[in-house]
Amino acid sequence: MGFSLGALFEAGLLVINGIAVLQDFSPPLPEDPDGKPVPRFLALYGLAENKEEFGESASVKSKLIHVINAVRTLMRMPLIFVNTAAIIYLFLLG
């Protein structure tokens, strides 16, 4: 893969897809007697929830949490269409 606009687009798409699939907690398993959700990647590293109060200066961690949550909520439907278009493009034009 050479350094081109298409390669940059594909790399950006892969990064956004990676952010979009991150989970805070997994749903409880049916055989789990406690019924509590299991912490996943974001919760293990303290990126699951923002503990910042209104009016405080935002830290880098807080901004990262906001970006992850924004990508997960706002980009869900557009990513489906962009991924479909990218797959068709790569199948037709390689």
Side-chain angles (χ1 to χ4, degrees):
M1 172 165 42
F3 188 73
S4 66
L5 191 60
L8 285 175
F9 174 75
E10 189 175 347
L13 183 62
L14 289 172
V15 169
I16 293 173
N17 278 322
I19 293 171
V21 299
L22 293 175
Q23 291 182 350
D24 298 338
F25 296 96
S26 66
L29 300 172
E31 61 270 359
D32 188 17
D34 297 335
K36 295 188 299 188
V38 180
R40 297 290 292 242
F41 179 80
L42 293 176
L44 292 176
Y45 292 104
L47 297 173
E49 55 189 40
N50 194 4
K51 296 180 176 120
E52 179 182 305
E53 295 192 15
F54 183 73
E56 293 182 10
S57 61
S59 64
V60 174
K61 183 178 176 181
S62 173
K63 290 179 183 181
L64 184 62
I65 292 171
H66 284 296
V67 167
I68 291 171
N69 286 333
V71 167
R72 289 176 54 209
T73 56
L74 297 175
M75 294 297 291
R76 182 171 291 155
M77 290 306 288
L79 272 177
I80 292 172
F81 298 116
V82 173
N83 283 327
T84 304
I87 290 169
I88 292 171
Y89 170 78
L90 290 172
F91 273 143
L92 294 178
L93 301 175

